Amino acid sequence: MENLKGLTNRISDTIWEIPKSADPDMNVPVHIYYNEELFNNLDNGVIKQGINVATLPGLVNKVSVMPDGHWGYGFPIGGVAAMDAEKGVVSPGGIGFDINCGMRLIQTNLTRDEVQPKLKQLIDELFIAVPAGVGRKSDLALSPRQLDDVMVNGVDWIIDNGYGWKEDRLFMEEQGSIPDAKPELISHKAKSRGRNQIGTLGSGNHFLEIQVAKKENVYDQDTASAFGINKDNQVVIMIHSGSRGFGHQVASEYLKTFLDNMPKYGLKIRDKELAAAPIHSRDGQNYLGAMASAANFAFANRAYMMYKTRQVFSKIFGRDAEELGMHLTYDVCHNIAKFEEHLVDGRKKRVLVHRKGATRAFPPNHPDLAPQYKEYGQPVIIGGSMETGSYVLAGVEGSMHEAFGSSAHGSGRTMSRSRAKKQIDGKELEQKMHKKGIYVKAASYKGLAEEAGIAYKNLDSVVKAALDGNLTKPVAKLLPIGNIKG
DNA sequence: ATGTAC
Protein backbone atom coordinates (compact mmCIF):
# COMPACT_ATOMS: atom_id res chain seq x y z
CA MET A 1 0.00 0.00 0.00
CA GLU A 2 1.20 3.51 -0.73
CA ASN A 3 2.37 5.47 2.25
CA LEU A 4 -0.56 7.52 3.50
CA LYS A 5 1.47 9.66 5.89
CA GLY A 6 1.60 12.30 3.18
CA LEU A 7 -2.10 12.95 3.81
CA THR A 8 -1.33 14.26 7.30
CA ASN A 9 -0.27 17.77 8.33
CA ARG A 10 1.46 18.29 11.64
CA ILE A 11 -0.53 21.14 13.20
CA SER A 12 1.16 21.12 16.64
CA ASP A 13 3.82 19.19 18.54
CA THR A 14 1.28 16.51 19.39
CA ILE A 15 -1.37 16.62 16.64
CA TRP A 16 -1.22 15.30 13.11
CA GLU A 17 -4.29 16.32 11.13
CA ILE A 18 -5.88 14.60 8.16
CA PRO A 19 -7.76 17.57 6.68
CA LYS A 20 -11.27 17.23 5.30
CA SER A 21 -9.82 17.92 1.89
CA ALA A 22 -7.90 14.62 1.96
CA ASP A 23 -11.01 12.79 0.76
CA PRO A 24 -14.20 14.20 -0.79
CA ASP A 25 -16.40 12.03 1.45
CA MET A 26 -14.93 13.19 4.75
CA ASN A 27 -17.37 15.14 6.94
CA VAL A 28 -14.82 16.21 9.56
CA PRO A 29 -11.02 16.20 9.88
CA VAL A 30 -9.11 13.54 11.83
CA HIS A 31 -6.67 14.46 14.59
CA ILE A 32 -4.05 11.92 15.57
CA TYR A 33 -2.52 12.66 19.00
CA TYR A 34 0.97 11.29 18.60
CA ASN A 35 4.56 12.34 19.14
CA GLU A 36 7.52 11.99 16.78
CA GLU A 37 8.37 8.46 17.91
CA LEU A 38 4.79 7.24 17.64
CA PHE A 39 4.28 8.97 14.29
CA ASN A 40 7.39 7.32 12.83
CA ASN A 41 5.78 3.98 13.54
CA LEU A 42 2.28 5.04 12.50
CA ASP A 43 0.46 2.30 10.66
CA ASN A 44 -1.13 3.17 7.31
CA GLY A 45 -4.22 1.30 8.51
CA VAL A 46 -4.86 3.95 11.18
CA ILE A 47 -4.88 6.72 8.56
CA LYS A 48 -7.11 4.72 6.28
CA GLN A 49 -9.54 3.84 9.04
CA GLY A 50 -9.47 7.40 10.39
CA ILE A 51 -10.58 8.66 6.96
CA ASN A 52 -13.25 5.96 6.69
CA VAL A 53 -14.68 6.86 10.09
CA ALA A 54 -14.68 10.56 9.15
CA THR A 55 -17.17 9.80 6.35
CA LEU A 56 -19.91 8.66 8.75
CA PRO A 57 -23.09 10.79 8.83
CA GLY A 58 -23.74 13.29 11.60
CA LEU A 59 -20.18 13.60 12.91
CA VAL A 60 -19.32 16.77 14.79
CA ASN A 61 -15.99 18.60 15.29
CA LYS A 62 -13.52 15.85 14.38
CA VAL A 63 -12.49 12.25 14.72
CA SER A 64 -9.68 11.77 17.22
CA VAL A 65 -7.09 9.01 17.47
CA MET A 66 -5.47 8.62 20.90
CA PRO A 67 -1.70 8.10 21.35
CA ASP A 68 -2.18 4.35 21.70
CA GLY A 69 -4.24 4.23 18.51
CA HIS A 70 -3.76 1.26 16.23
CA TRP A 71 -5.62 -0.61 13.50
CA GLY A 72 -8.85 -2.28 14.64
CA TYR A 73 -12.20 -3.64 13.42
CA GLY A 74 -13.59 -0.78 11.30
CA PHE A 75 -12.55 1.97 13.69
CA PRO A 76 -9.02 2.30 15.00
CA ILE A 77 -8.61 1.12 18.59
CA GLY A 78 -7.98 4.42 20.35
CA GLY A 79 -10.63 6.13 18.21
CA VAL A 80 -13.09 8.79 19.43
CA ALA A 81 -15.99 9.95 17.24
CA ALA A 82 -19.06 11.96 18.28
CA MET A 83 -22.30 12.10 16.33
CA ASP A 84 -25.13 14.61 16.54
CA ALA A 85 -27.71 12.87 18.76
CA GLU A 86 -30.51 13.81 16.35
CA LYS A 87 -28.92 13.41 12.92
CA GLY A 88 -26.09 10.99 13.54
CA VAL A 89 -25.54 7.24 13.44
CA VAL A 90 -24.38 4.66 15.92
CA SER A 91 -21.75 2.18 14.75
CA PRO A 92 -20.98 -0.95 16.82
CA GLY A 93 -17.50 -1.04 15.26
CA GLY A 94 -16.83 2.23 17.05
CA ILE A 95 -17.50 0.57 20.38
CA GLY A 96 -15.84 -2.78 19.94
CA PHE A 97 -16.75 -6.42 20.37
CA ASP A 98 -15.97 -6.31 24.07
CA ILE A 99 -18.68 -3.84 25.09
CA ASN A 100 -17.62 -1.88 28.19
CA CYS A 101 -14.22 -3.39 28.40
CA GLY A 102 -12.68 -1.25 31.11
CA MET A 103 -10.31 -0.77 34.00
CA ARG A 104 -10.78 -0.80 37.74
CA LEU A 105 -8.29 0.41 40.36
CA ILE A 106 -8.58 -0.73 43.99
CA GLN A 107 -6.66 0.80 46.89
CA THR A 108 -5.18 -0.94 49.89
CA ASN A 109 -3.42 0.57 52.91
CA LEU A 110 -0.75 -2.13 52.66
CA THR A 111 2.83 -1.52 51.59
CA ARG A 112 5.03 -3.71 49.47
CA ASP A 113 6.93 -4.93 52.56
CA GLU A 114 3.72 -6.31 54.04
CA VAL A 115 2.52 -7.88 50.79
CA GLN A 116 5.78 -9.36 49.47
CA PRO A 117 5.98 -12.33 51.90
CA LYS A 118 2.41 -13.30 51.01
CA LEU A 119 2.57 -12.44 47.33
CA LYS A 120 2.72 -15.99 46.01
CA GLN A 121 -0.14 -17.07 48.24
CA LEU A 122 -2.21 -14.05 47.19
CA ILE A 123 -1.74 -14.66 43.47
CA ASP A 124 -2.30 -18.41 43.81
CA GLU A 125 -5.58 -17.82 45.67
CA LEU A 126 -6.70 -15.04 43.33
CA PHE A 127 -6.06 -17.36 40.42
CA ILE A 128 -8.53 -19.81 41.97
CA ALA A 129 -11.07 -17.17 43.06
CA VAL A 130 -11.15 -15.33 39.74
CA PRO A 131 -11.56 -17.79 36.85
CA ALA A 132 -9.19 -16.79 34.04
CA GLY A 133 -8.98 -17.93 30.44
CA VAL A 134 -11.35 -18.59 27.55
CA GLY A 135 -14.56 -20.38 28.50
CA ARG A 136 -13.95 -20.39 32.26
CA LYS A 137 -17.08 -20.27 34.39
CA SER A 138 -18.03 -18.39 37.54
CA ASP A 139 -19.17 -19.90 40.83
CA LEU A 140 -22.14 -17.59 40.40
CA ALA A 141 -24.85 -18.93 38.06
CA LEU A 142 -27.58 -16.35 37.52
CA SER A 143 -31.24 -17.21 37.05
CA PRO A 144 -32.89 -15.52 34.04
CA ARG A 145 -34.46 -12.98 36.37
CA GLN A 146 -31.16 -12.22 38.10
CA LEU A 147 -29.41 -11.80 34.76
CA ASP A 148 -32.12 -9.34 33.65
CA ASP A 149 -31.53 -7.47 36.89
CA VAL A 150 -27.78 -7.30 36.23
CA MET A 151 -28.43 -5.98 32.71
CA VAL A 152 -30.68 -3.20 34.04
CA ASN A 153 -28.93 -2.31 37.29
CA GLY A 154 -25.24 -3.11 36.76
CA VAL A 155 -23.26 -2.63 39.96
CA ASP A 156 -26.39 -2.01 42.03
CA TRP A 157 -27.28 -5.70 41.68
CA ILE A 158 -23.83 -6.59 43.02
CA ILE A 159 -24.21 -4.19 45.98
CA ASP A 160 -27.81 -5.19 46.77
CA ASN A 161 -26.76 -8.83 46.88
CA GLY A 162 -23.96 -8.23 49.37
CA TYR A 163 -21.04 -8.49 46.95
CA GLY A 164 -20.02 -4.86 47.12
CA TRP A 165 -19.99 -1.75 49.32
CA LYS A 166 -22.55 1.04 49.01
CA GLU A 167 -19.79 3.56 48.29
CA ASP A 168 -18.45 1.57 45.30
CA ARG A 169 -21.01 2.97 42.87
CA LEU A 170 -19.85 6.55 43.53
CA PHE A 171 -16.47 5.73 42.07
CA MET A 172 -17.61 4.35 38.75
CA GLU A 173 -18.32 5.89 35.39
CA GLU A 174 -22.13 6.37 35.22
CA GLN A 175 -22.22 5.24 38.87
CA GLY A 176 -21.96 1.70 37.59
CA SER A 177 -25.28 1.55 35.79
CA ILE A 178 -26.14 2.84 32.33
CA PRO A 179 -29.79 3.86 31.85
CA ASP A 180 -32.20 2.51 29.23
CA ALA A 181 -30.91 -1.06 29.11
CA LYS A 182 -33.31 -3.41 27.33
CA PRO A 183 -32.79 -7.03 28.43
CA GLU A 184 -35.79 -8.09 26.36
CA LEU A 185 -33.68 -7.38 23.26
CA ILE A 186 -30.91 -9.76 24.28
CA SER A 187 -30.93 -13.13 22.53
CA HIS A 188 -31.33 -16.38 24.37
CA LYS A 189 -27.88 -17.35 23.13
CA ALA A 190 -26.22 -14.28 24.65
CA LYS A 191 -28.05 -14.86 27.92
CA SER A 192 -27.00 -18.48 28.10
CA ARG A 193 -23.36 -17.53 27.44
CA GLY A 194 -23.49 -14.80 30.07
CA ARG A 195 -25.28 -16.41 32.97
CA ASN A 196 -22.14 -17.97 34.46
CA GLN A 197 -19.60 -15.38 33.36
CA ILE A 198 -20.04 -12.78 36.12
CA GLY A 199 -16.70 -12.54 37.91
CA THR A 200 -14.57 -14.10 35.19
CA LEU A 201 -11.46 -12.42 33.83
CA GLY A 202 -11.32 -13.66 30.26
CA SER A 203 -8.19 -13.91 28.13
CA GLY A 204 -6.02 -11.83 25.81
CA ASN A 205 -4.87 -8.62 27.43
CA HIS A 206 -7.24 -8.93 30.37
CA PHE A 207 -5.53 -9.12 33.74
CA LEU A 208 -5.76 -8.75 37.48
CA GLU A 209 -2.57 -7.24 38.82
CA ILE A 210 -1.05 -6.35 42.18
CA GLN A 211 0.93 -3.14 41.76
CA VAL A 212 3.13 -0.81 43.77
CA ALA A 213 3.11 2.99 43.79
CA LYS A 214 6.65 4.09 44.61
CA LYS A 215 7.02 7.62 45.92
CA GLU A 216 9.33 8.53 43.04
CA ASN A 217 6.59 7.52 40.59
CA VAL A 218 3.96 9.80 42.10
CA TYR A 219 3.84 12.98 40.01
CA ASP A 220 0.98 14.82 41.74
CA GLN A 221 0.74 13.97 45.43
CA ASP A 222 -2.49 15.91 46.10
CA THR A 223 -4.38 14.14 43.33
CA ALA A 224 -2.80 10.80 44.18
CA SER A 225 -3.95 11.22 47.81
CA ALA A 226 -7.47 12.01 46.64
CA PHE A 227 -7.30 8.76 44.65
CA GLY A 228 -6.19 6.89 47.79
CA ILE A 229 -2.45 6.69 47.08
CA ASN A 230 -0.64 8.40 49.91
CA LYS A 231 2.32 6.37 51.10
CA ASP A 232 5.56 5.14 49.62
CA ASN A 233 5.39 1.64 48.13
CA GLN A 234 1.64 1.46 48.63
CA VAL A 235 -0.01 -1.59 47.09
CA VAL A 236 -2.96 -1.25 44.70
CA ILE A 237 -4.86 -3.72 42.53
CA MET A 238 -5.83 -3.17 38.90
CA ILE A 239 -8.42 -5.19 36.98
CA HIS A 240 -8.86 -5.12 33.21
CA SER A 241 -11.86 -7.00 31.80
CA GLY A 242 -15.14 -6.53 29.98
CA SER A 243 -18.44 -8.16 29.14
CA ARG A 244 -16.93 -11.54 28.15
CA GLY A 245 -18.81 -13.88 25.79
CA PHE A 246 -22.04 -12.09 26.65
CA GLY A 247 -21.01 -8.74 25.17
CA HIS A 248 -19.27 -10.44 22.28
CA GLN A 249 -22.45 -12.28 21.37
CA VAL A 250 -24.51 -9.07 21.57
CA ALA A 251 -22.01 -7.16 19.41
CA SER A 252 -21.79 -9.92 16.78
CA GLU A 253 -25.56 -10.20 16.45
CA TYR A 254 -26.13 -6.47 16.08
CA LEU A 255 -23.27 -6.04 13.63
CA LYS A 256 -24.93 -8.58 11.40
CA THR A 257 -28.35 -6.93 11.72
CA PHE A 258 -26.88 -3.51 10.98
CA LEU A 259 -25.11 -4.81 7.91
CA ASP A 260 -28.30 -6.45 6.60
CA ASN A 261 -30.40 -3.36 7.21
CA MET A 262 -28.06 -0.65 5.97
CA PRO A 263 -29.61 -0.40 2.51
CA LYS A 264 -32.95 0.30 4.23
CA TYR A 265 -31.50 3.45 5.78
CA GLY A 266 -29.77 4.53 2.59
CA LEU A 267 -26.41 4.58 4.34
CA LYS A 268 -23.37 4.35 2.11
CA ILE A 269 -20.49 3.00 4.13
CA ARG A 270 -17.12 2.34 2.56
CA ASP A 271 -16.16 -0.51 4.85
CA LYS A 272 -18.51 -3.28 6.00
CA GLU A 273 -16.88 -3.09 9.39
CA LEU A 274 -18.32 0.40 9.82
CA ALA A 275 -21.89 -0.89 9.68
CA ALA A 276 -24.12 1.77 11.25
CA ALA A 277 -27.74 2.77 11.79
CA PRO A 278 -29.33 6.16 12.48
CA ILE A 279 -29.46 6.78 16.24
CA HIS A 280 -33.21 7.31 16.06
CA SER A 281 -33.92 4.29 13.88
CA ARG A 282 -35.34 1.13 15.39
CA ASP A 283 -32.03 -0.68 14.88
CA GLY A 284 -30.09 2.20 16.41
CA GLN A 285 -32.34 2.33 19.48
CA ASN A 286 -32.31 -1.44 19.84
CA TYR A 287 -28.52 -1.60 19.67
CA LEU A 288 -28.16 1.16 22.26
CA GLY A 289 -30.52 -0.72 24.62
CA ALA A 290 -28.57 -3.94 24.06
CA MET A 291 -25.23 -2.15 24.44
CA ALA A 292 -26.37 -0.67 27.77
CA SER A 293 -27.34 -4.18 28.93
CA ALA A 294 -23.89 -5.53 28.05
CA ALA A 295 -22.21 -2.49 29.61
CA ASN A 296 -24.04 -3.09 32.89
CA PHE A 297 -23.04 -6.76 32.72
CA ALA A 298 -19.40 -5.67 32.43
CA PHE A 299 -19.70 -3.32 35.43
CA ALA A 300 -21.10 -6.21 37.46
CA ASN A 301 -18.36 -8.53 36.18
CA ARG A 302 -15.53 -6.26 37.34
CA ALA A 303 -17.36 -5.56 40.62
CA TYR A 304 -17.71 -9.28 41.41
CA MET A 305 -14.00 -9.77 40.71
CA MET A 306 -13.33 -7.02 43.24
CA TYR A 307 -15.55 -8.85 45.74
CA LYS A 308 -13.40 -11.96 45.28
CA THR A 309 -10.23 -9.90 45.54
CA ARG A 310 -11.39 -8.32 48.81
CA GLN A 311 -12.20 -11.80 50.14
CA VAL A 312 -8.79 -13.22 49.23
CA PHE A 313 -6.86 -10.30 50.76
CA SER A 314 -9.07 -10.40 53.83
CA LYS A 315 -8.47 -14.13 54.33
CA ILE A 316 -4.71 -13.96 53.83
CA PHE A 317 -4.15 -10.90 56.01
CA GLY A 318 -6.72 -11.96 58.63
CA ARG A 319 -8.39 -8.54 58.54
CA ASP A 320 -11.60 -7.18 57.02
CA ALA A 321 -11.33 -5.60 53.58
CA GLU A 322 -12.47 -2.35 55.31
CA GLU A 323 -9.50 -2.54 57.66
CA LEU A 324 -7.24 -3.11 54.67
CA GLY A 325 -8.62 0.07 53.10
CA MET A 326 -9.75 -1.74 49.97
CA HIS A 327 -11.77 1.12 48.51
CA LEU A 328 -12.50 1.45 44.85
CA THR A 329 -10.53 4.35 43.35
CA TYR A 330 -12.38 4.15 40.05
CA ASP A 331 -13.95 1.97 37.39
CA VAL A 332 -13.84 3.39 33.89
CA CYS A 333 -15.04 2.14 30.49
CA HIS A 334 -12.94 2.23 27.36
CA ASN A 335 -15.28 0.54 24.82
CA ILE A 336 -18.62 2.31 24.80
CA ALA A 337 -20.85 4.98 23.27
CA LYS A 338 -22.48 7.57 25.51
CA PHE A 339 -24.81 10.54 25.16
CA GLU A 340 -22.98 13.58 26.50
CA GLU A 341 -23.04 17.35 26.16
CA HIS A 342 -20.10 18.92 24.34
CA LEU A 343 -19.27 22.23 22.72
CA VAL A 344 -19.96 22.24 19.00
CA ASP A 345 -19.51 25.52 17.12
CA GLY A 346 -19.48 27.38 20.41
CA ARG A 347 -22.74 25.86 21.64
CA LYS A 348 -23.54 22.96 23.94
CA LYS A 349 -24.90 20.06 22.01
CA ARG A 350 -26.03 16.53 22.85
CA VAL A 351 -23.85 14.04 21.01
CA LEU A 352 -23.26 10.30 21.03
CA VAL A 353 -19.56 9.87 21.83
CA HIS A 354 -18.09 6.60 20.58
CA ARG A 355 -15.00 5.63 22.56
CA LYS A 356 -13.22 2.52 21.35
CA GLY A 357 -10.03 1.81 23.22
CA ALA A 358 -10.31 5.32 24.60
CA THR A 359 -10.94 6.29 28.22
CA ARG A 360 -13.37 8.96 29.32
CA ALA A 361 -11.28 11.67 31.02
CA PHE A 362 -13.59 14.34 32.48
CA PRO A 363 -12.01 17.47 33.98
CA PRO A 364 -12.38 18.92 37.49
CA ASN A 365 -15.88 20.15 38.37
CA HIS A 366 -17.63 17.97 35.82
CA PRO A 367 -21.10 17.08 37.21
CA ASP A 368 -20.58 13.34 36.66
CA LEU A 369 -17.68 13.20 39.16
CA ALA A 370 -18.01 12.09 42.78
CA PRO A 371 -17.66 15.06 45.19
CA GLN A 372 -14.34 13.58 46.38
CA TYR A 373 -12.89 14.01 42.87
CA LYS A 374 -14.47 17.34 41.86
CA GLU A 375 -11.29 19.28 42.58
CA TYR A 376 -8.95 16.82 40.88
CA GLY A 377 -10.62 15.47 37.75
CA GLN A 378 -11.71 11.95 36.88
CA PRO A 379 -9.23 9.13 37.47
CA VAL A 380 -8.02 7.82 34.11
CA ILE A 381 -6.69 4.28 34.36
CA ILE A 382 -4.21 3.21 31.72
CA GLY A 383 -3.19 -0.41 31.66
CA GLY A 384 0.26 -1.27 30.38
CA SER A 385 1.86 -4.59 29.64
CA MET A 386 2.35 -6.96 32.57
CA GLU A 387 6.11 -6.37 32.47
CA THR A 388 6.30 -2.61 32.31
CA GLY A 389 3.61 -1.09 34.49
CA SER A 390 0.46 1.00 34.27
CA TYR A 391 -0.62 4.55 35.06
CA VAL A 392 -3.33 6.45 36.84
CA LEU A 393 -3.84 9.92 35.35
CA ALA A 394 -6.54 12.55 35.78
CA GLY A 395 -8.88 14.35 33.38
CA VAL A 396 -8.20 17.97 32.37
CA GLU A 397 -10.24 20.69 30.67
CA GLY A 398 -8.09 20.47 27.52
CA SER A 399 -9.40 17.08 26.58
CA MET A 400 -12.97 18.44 26.47
CA HIS A 401 -11.85 20.67 23.61
CA GLU A 402 -9.50 18.19 22.00
CA ALA A 403 -11.29 14.86 22.12
CA PHE A 404 -14.73 15.03 23.79
CA GLY A 405 -13.15 14.42 27.19
CA SER A 406 -11.12 11.33 26.31
CA SER A 407 -7.60 9.98 26.69
CA ALA A 408 -5.59 6.86 25.86
CA HIS A 409 -6.43 3.47 27.40
CA GLY A 410 -3.30 1.35 27.18
CA SER A 411 -0.06 0.95 25.35
CA GLY A 412 -1.24 -0.64 22.11
CA ARG A 413 0.39 -3.65 20.47
CA THR A 414 3.31 -3.44 18.09
CA MET A 415 3.65 -7.18 17.51
CA SER A 416 0.82 -9.43 16.37
CA ARG A 417 -0.34 -12.16 18.72
CA SER A 418 0.75 -14.84 16.27
CA ARG A 419 4.24 -13.37 15.92
CA ALA A 420 4.60 -12.99 19.69
CA LYS A 421 3.64 -16.65 20.15
CA LYS A 422 6.27 -17.71 17.62
CA GLN A 423 8.99 -15.47 18.95
CA ILE A 424 8.47 -15.81 22.70
CA ASP A 425 8.48 -18.91 24.88
CA GLY A 426 5.82 -18.54 27.58
CA LYS A 427 7.60 -20.72 30.12
CA GLU A 428 10.86 -18.81 29.75
CA LEU A 429 8.98 -15.53 30.01
CA GLU A 430 7.34 -16.69 33.25
CA GLN A 431 10.75 -17.53 34.74
CA LYS A 432 12.22 -14.24 33.56
CA MET A 433 9.36 -12.35 35.17
CA HIS A 434 9.69 -14.25 38.45
CA LYS A 435 13.38 -13.30 38.50
CA LYS A 436 12.44 -9.67 37.92
CA GLY A 437 10.14 -9.82 40.94
CA ILE A 438 6.81 -10.18 39.12
CA TYR A 439 4.95 -13.31 40.20
CA VAL A 440 2.69 -14.23 37.29
CA LYS A 441 0.17 -17.01 36.93
CA ALA A 442 -1.45 -17.53 33.54
CA ALA A 443 -4.11 -19.89 32.24
CA SER A 444 -1.83 -20.76 29.30
CA TYR A 445 1.81 -20.22 28.33
CA LYS A 446 0.74 -19.23 24.84
CA GLY A 447 -1.53 -16.56 26.27
CA LEU A 448 1.33 -15.34 28.43
CA ALA A 449 3.73 -15.13 25.47
CA GLU A 450 1.24 -13.00 23.54
CA GLU A 451 1.26 -10.44 26.32
CA ALA A 452 5.05 -10.06 26.65
CA GLY A 453 6.24 -6.49 27.19
CA ILE A 454 8.14 -6.42 23.89
CA ALA A 455 4.88 -7.05 21.98
CA TYR A 456 3.67 -3.62 23.12
CA LYS A 457 4.44 0.03 22.44
CA ASN A 458 6.42 1.93 25.05
CA LEU A 459 3.73 2.99 27.54
CA ASP A 460 5.82 5.87 28.89
CA SER A 461 5.88 7.34 25.41
CA VAL A 462 2.11 6.89 24.95
CA VAL A 463 1.42 8.53 28.30
CA LYS A 464 3.81 11.38 27.54
CA ALA A 465 1.94 12.05 24.30
CA ALA A 466 -1.37 12.05 26.23
CA LEU A 467 0.07 14.57 28.71
CA ASP A 468 1.76 16.77 26.08
CA GLY A 469 -1.42 16.70 24.02
CA ASN A 470 -3.32 18.12 27.02
CA LEU A 471 -5.61 15.07 27.19
CA THR A 472 -4.78 14.23 30.83
CA LYS A 473 -2.42 15.14 33.68
CA PRO A 474 0.04 12.76 35.35
CA VAL A 475 -0.74 11.27 38.77
CA ALA A 476 1.24 8.05 39.31
CA LYS A 477 2.95 5.17 37.59
CA LEU A 478 2.17 1.75 39.07
CA LEU A 479 4.62 -1.15 38.84
CA PRO A 480 3.49 -4.79 38.76
CA ILE A 481 4.59 -7.32 41.39
CA GLY A 482 1.94 -9.99 40.81
CA ASN A 483 -0.36 -10.79 37.94
CA ILE A 484 -3.01 -13.26 36.88
CA LYS A 485 -3.85 -13.65 33.20
CA GLY A 486 -6.23 -15.59 31.03
C1' DA B 1 -11.97 -9.38 22.48
C1' DT B 2 -14.45 -14.47 21.57
C1' DG B 3 -17.31 -21.78 23.68
C1' DT B 4 -10.93 -17.79 18.21
C1' DA B 5 -15.85 -21.14 12.13
C1' DC B 6 -22.39 -20.86 9.75
Side-chain angles (χ1 to χ4, degrees):
Chain A
M1 203 203 296
E2 57 171 323
N3 191 336
L4 301 176
K5 279 185 187 169
L7 296 175
T8 63
N9 300 322
R10 186 174 191 173
I11 59 169
S12 78
D13 282 352
T14 51
I15 302 175
W16 276 260
E17 178 177 74
I18 309 171
K20 251 177 83 165
S21 56
D23 187 298
D25 293 334
M26 282 172 75
N27 293 318
V28 291
V30 179
H31 283 188
I32 303 174
Y33 290 83
Y34 267 28
N35 58 26
E36 206 100 36
E37 180 195 341
L38 295 165
F39 185 76
N40 288 338
N41 296 308
L42 173 61
D43 174 4
N44 261 336
V46 172
I47 299 174
K48 201 168 177 193
Q49 291 191 322
I51 292 171
N52 288 348
V53 172
T55 67
L56 289 169
L59 281 164
V60 297
N61 294 357
K62 63 188 152 190
V63 169
S64 308
V65 179
M66 300 291 103
D68 53 339
H70 55 286
W71 182 88
Y73 182 91
F75 282 59
I77 294 159
V80 180
M83 283 69 164
D84 182 309
E86 305 307 319
K87 293 177 281 185
V89 295
V90 56
S91 176
I95 288 142
F97 277 91
D98 190 2
I99 295 166
N100 189 7
C101 188
M103 308 289 309
R104 170 170 286 239
L105 185 66
I106 305 159
Q107 310 156 25
T108 77
N109 56 24
L110 299 162
T111 60
R112 181 174 188 165
D113 290 347
E114 296 166 278
V115 168
Q116 197 66 48
K118 298 178 190 261
L119 182 64
K120 186 173 182 303
Q121 195 188 352
L122 281 165
I123 291 293
D124 288 348
E125 297 239 2
L126 283 167
F127 193 73
I128 295 165
V130 179
V134 180
R136 293 290 311 281
K137 289 177 182 175
S138 173
D139 60 352
L140 199 62
L142 301 181
S143 70
R145 177 179 292 208
Q146 287 174 316
L147 183 54
D148 281 1
D149 239 13
V150 166
M151 286 188 254
V152 173
N153 299 313
V155 80
D156 291 333
W157 185 86
I158 293 289
I159 294 168
D160 292 347
N161 283 275
Y163 304 127
W165 303 350
K166 270 223 154 53
E167 63 170 59
D168 295 343
R169 68 191 305 283
L170 300 174
F171 305 106
M172 296 179 70
E173 184 168 336
E174 297 290 315
Q175 291 71 51
S177 163
I178 292 185
D180 302 321
K182 295 185 185 129
E184 66 275 18
L185 296 177
I186 304 296
S187 69
H188 175 75
K189 195 171 179 185
K191 286 175 179 167
S192 83
R193 283 181 75 171
R195 67 183 293 264
N196 49 25
Q197 290 188 317
I198 290 290
T200 63
L201 189 63
S203 65
N205 60 3
H206 288 170
F207 62 76
L208 186 158
E209 194 164 89
I210 301 179
Q211 304 171 335
V212 172
K214 287 189 191 177
K215 200 171 179 181
E216 73 224 49
N217 291 333
V218 172
Y219 313 111
D220 175 343
Q221 188 54 65
D222 282 352
T223 308
S225 295
F227 293 173
I229 297 170
N230 45 37
K231 50 183 162 183
D232 192 18
N233 285 317
Q234 189 173 336
V235 167
V236 296
I237 301 136
M238 190 176 278
I239 297 175
H240 178 207
S241 185
S243 50
R244 310 282 295 102
F246 179 80
H248 189 273
Q249 186 66 35
V250 170
S252 312
E253 289 170 12
Y254 276 88
L255 269 165
K256 191 181 176 312
T257 307
F258 272 38
L259 202 53
D260 292 346
N261 291 350
M262 273 213 293
K264 193 168 89 184
Y265 300 115
L267 290 173
K268 274 194 301 178
I269 302 281
R270 51 167 75 184
D271 176 358
K272 277 183 172 184
E273 297 183 355
L274 288 176
I279 291 167
H280 282 298
S281 68
R282 189 173 161 170
D283 285 325
Q285 289 295 302
N286 285 357
Y287 172 74
L288 287 169
M291 183 205 73
S293 311
N296 289 333
F297 182 95
F299 281 139
N301 181 35
R302 291 193 290 273
Y304 194 72
M305 282 189 268
M306 177 164 82
Y307 163 69
K308 291 290 188 167
T309 303
R310 281 171 170 162
Q311 271 192 329
V312 167
F313 270 75
S314 178
K315 179 182 154 195
I316 290 175
F317 286 96
R319 274 178 278 168
D320 289 347
E322 286 90 344
E323 279 177 74
L324 296 171
M326 295 181 77
H327 300 282
L328 180 59
T329 291
Y330 211 62
D331 181 297
V332 67
C333 322
H334 55 227
N335 277 11
I336 200 150
K338 306 265 288 290
F339 288 105
E340 294 171 5
E341 277 203 339
H342 288 276
L343 275 181
V344 178
D345 300 328
R347 274 189 301 199
K348 279 207 164 173
K349 199 178 180 80
R350 191 163 174 263
V351 293
L352 182 63
V353 185
H354 294 64
R355 293 192 183 91
K356 181 198 196 171
T359 304
R360 197 189 71 176
F362 280 167
N365 297 317
H366 193 283
D368 195 73
L369 298 188
Q372 292 87 336
Y373 295 159
K374 280 268 151 78
E375 199 183 319
Y376 306 97
Q378 180 211 300
V380 173
I381 308 167
I382 307 219
S385 87
M386 61 193 179
E387 290 188 83
T388 50
S390 298
Y391 281 84
V392 57
L393 312 174
V396 293
E397 194 58 43
S399 142
M400 295 302 272
H401 306 291
E402 299 289 350
F404 300 99
S406 313
S407 187
H409 86 306
S411 38
R413 298 191 75 86
T414 53
M415 196 189 288
S416 72
R417 294 190 173 277
S418 53
R419 215 179 112 206
K421 263 187 288 196
K422 261 183 224 158
Q423 207 166 307
I424 299 149
D425 182 278
K427 215 167 204 169
E428 271 174 34
L429 176 62
E430 183 189 57
Q431 283 164 1
K432 193 184 102 190
M433 288 179 67
H434 288 183
K435 261 185 217 155
K436 273 204 317 199
I438 307 167
Y439 183 66
V440 60
K441 217 166 155 71
S444 85
Y445 283 121
K446 275 186 183 170
L448 189 69
E450 287 177 11
E451 294 302 317
I454 59 162
Y456 280 89
K457 283 187 204 175
N458 178 350
L459 183 63
D460 296 335
S461 182
V462 168
V463 167
K464 190 171 182 313
L467 305 178
D468 293 346
N470 208 13
L471 300 173
T472 26
K473 67 174 184 176
V475 178
K477 183 174 186 179
L478 307 165
L479 301 177
I481 56 170
N483 183 305
I484 73 170
K485 293 206 74 70

